[in-house]
Amino acid sequence: ESNMQGLPVLAANKGGFFLTVIDGFNGYLVNPVNVHDIAAKIEMLYHDRRQLTTLGNNGRSRVLEYFTTNIMVEKINSLFESI
């Protein structure tokens, strides 16, 4: 949702987030227990508006290319047809 709005994502480097967040491209994957890592990424984005905008734009482009409702429905239909 953040990427769709043109904003970068900070996500935990655990679970399935790595499937949608490409570290350094459309956001950052962080260690959820390392508050210093999380704070450093937030501070960096706060001070570097160009990077904030670049990551956000990359994220929006990625969502529109891979994760729109129509694309996801097509993928699910394709999966069901294959079984």
Side-chain angles (χ1 to χ4, degrees), residues 28-68:
Y28 292 110
L29 295 171
V30 296
N31 182 337
V33 297
N34 184 339
V35 296
H36 299 291
D37 185 32
I38 296 167
K41 294 294 192 303
I42 292 170
E43 186 175 1
M44 189 268 309
L45 289 171
Y46 178 78
H47 291 293
D48 188 346
R49 295 299 177 161
R50 185 177 338 150
Q51 182 72 351
L52 177 90
T53 301
T54 298
L55 294 175
N57 289 340
N58 290 345
R60 181 163 170 77
S61 295
R62 185 166 162 74
V63 167
L64 293 174
E65 185 173 351
Y66 296 106
F67 300 107
T68 64

